[in-house]
Amino acid sequence: MVEELVAAGVAAGSVGAVYVMAAARVVKQYERGVVLRLGKLQSAVRGPGFTMVVPFVDRLRKVNMQIVTMPVPAQDGITRDNVTVRVDAVIYFRVIDAAEAVVQVEDYRFAVSQMAQTSLRSIIGKSDLDDLLSNREQLNQGLELMIDSPAVGWGVQIDRVEIKDVSLPETMKRSMARQAEADRERRARVINADAELQASKKLAEAAHEMAEEPAALQLRLLQTVVAVAAEKNSTLVLPFPVELLRFLERAQQALPQPPDSGTGRAEAGEPDRSGGARTGQD
């Protein structure tokens, strides 16, 4: 009798151990457990830690609540200004309602991926090439809104969408390179012309100041000679101002001419041999 009781106790313990092993579940910290009892959703979502389910009756599905980083495959499209481009992106999303993610959609990851691809192609068709290259922040926001609208019904929240790369045809790259080069050359010419204008104004002011003070021109000439001599050149070119030559020429013309010997004596009224004074005319 005792042996039968012991055997029954061992059997009951074994059955209980098997039941506990079959019913025991562990939900991790970043997961939530959704229980389907005979196919019907249970309202209570199991939190992280140890939990029990009814074996062969309940089915526990674990849903990852972490942020998922999903690359969006590159999509070929034609922009609004008829340029063929290839654009790829990356999407960040997470599940905010585990029950909705299990019940409302068969595979929320696949659904988000397909929605991201179709939305990316739509964005390409509505945008210009310049917007894809320089105005990505606004395009990212529009793409996020397009994906987030249907994803809310799946218990999924879109955190961020980023356009990673925009691939252009080689002909378009060469055209853009020529355009950028022409633009840089135009800006260089404008800057050079502006510098010449400012320099000409400063030179005109300097010439005006030197015209009022002739000594300033001589001092500038001496400074130039000193600067050239510092280079230890064997040949020194000394500029000679034309104004100085003209000044010397005018000074030469202003000097009195020496009188002629015969004419001078006649004009001075020297006495002739006859003893009278000559007046210079007979």
Side-chain angles (χ1 to χ4, degrees), residues 10-256:
V10 172
S14 300
V15 172
V18 172
Y19 178 82
V20 170
M21 292 177 61
R25 297 290 187 273
V26 176
V27 180
K28 297 180 182 179
Q29 181 66 37
Y30 54 85
E31 295 177 337
R32 296 296 182 269
V34 179
V35 178
L36 298 175
R37 180 166 295 169
L38 298 177
K40 184 178 180 181
L41 177 66
Q42 299 297 306
S43 59
V45 177
R46 306 296 175 87
F50 180 81
T51 185
M52 298 285 292
V53 297
V54 179
F56 310 108
V57 176
D58 292 346
R59 182 183 177 187
L60 179 67
R61 291 191 60 179
K62 299 177 183 179
V63 180
N64 193 334
M65 306 296 289
Q66 292 176 312
I67 295 177
V68 180
T69 303
M70 177 182 294
V72 181
Q75 301 296 313
D76 295 327
I78 301 177
T79 61
R80 190 167 57 182
D81 48 354
N82 297 325
V83 179
T84 303
V85 295
R86 185 180 180 87
V87 182
D88 58 350
V90 60
I91 180 172
Y92 303 88
F93 67 93
R94 61 189 179 92
V95 177
I96 57 176
D97 192 336
E100 294 290 335
V102 172
V103 176
Q104 297 298 331
V105 62
E106 180 180 4
D107 186 352
Y108 65 89
R109 289 175 178 264
F110 181 75
V112 171
S113 176
Q114 295 300 311
M115 180 58 66
Q117 294 181 35
T118 55
S119 300
L120 182 58
R121 295 178 67 90
S122 178
I123 285 291
I124 294 174
K126 295 179 181 178
S127 305
D128 295 331
L129 179 61
D130 294 338
D131 294 334
L132 289 175
L133 297 177
S134 60
N135 195 15
R136 293 189 181 181
E137 188 64 29
Q138 185 176 358
L139 295 180
N140 292 337
Q141 294 177 1
L143 189 58
E144 180 180 348
L145 291 175
M146 293 178 65
I147 303 174
D148 190 58
S149 297
V152 171
W154 306 334
V156 178
Q157 179 181 357
I158 306 300
D159 287 343
R160 190 169 183 83
V161 181
E162 293 285 348
I163 295 177
K164 292 197 302 183
D165 187 26
V166 178
S167 300
L168 301 175
E170 293 297 329
T171 55
M172 181 59 63
K173 291 181 180 179
R174 289 194 294 267
S175 299
M176 295 179 66
R178 290 195 299 268
Q179 179 183 0
E181 183 178 359
D183 184 68
R184 287 194 296 269
E185 184 177 357
R186 177 185 62 83
R187 286 184 292 179
R189 290 184 178 181
V190 170
I191 293 174
N192 189 18
D194 187 54
E196 292 291 340
L197 177 60
Q198 295 180 8
S200 63
K201 292 181 179 180
K202 294 298 181 181
L203 289 175
E205 294 177 2
H208 180 71
E209 294 293 334
M210 289 182 179
E212 295 181 355
E213 296 291 340
L217 184 61
Q218 299 298 326
L219 292 176
R220 181 59 182 164
L221 176 61
L222 295 177
Q223 291 178 357
T224 304
V225 172
V226 171
V228 174
E231 299 294 333
K232 298 180 180 180
N233 296 324
S234 59
T235 303
L236 180 63
V237 178
L238 183 63
F240 198 76
V242 180
E243 288 78 5
L244 183 58
L245 294 177
R246 293 176 180 175
F247 175 75
L248 295 177
E249 183 179 359
R250 288 195 299 269
Q252 178 108 15
Q253 293 177 357
L255 290 177

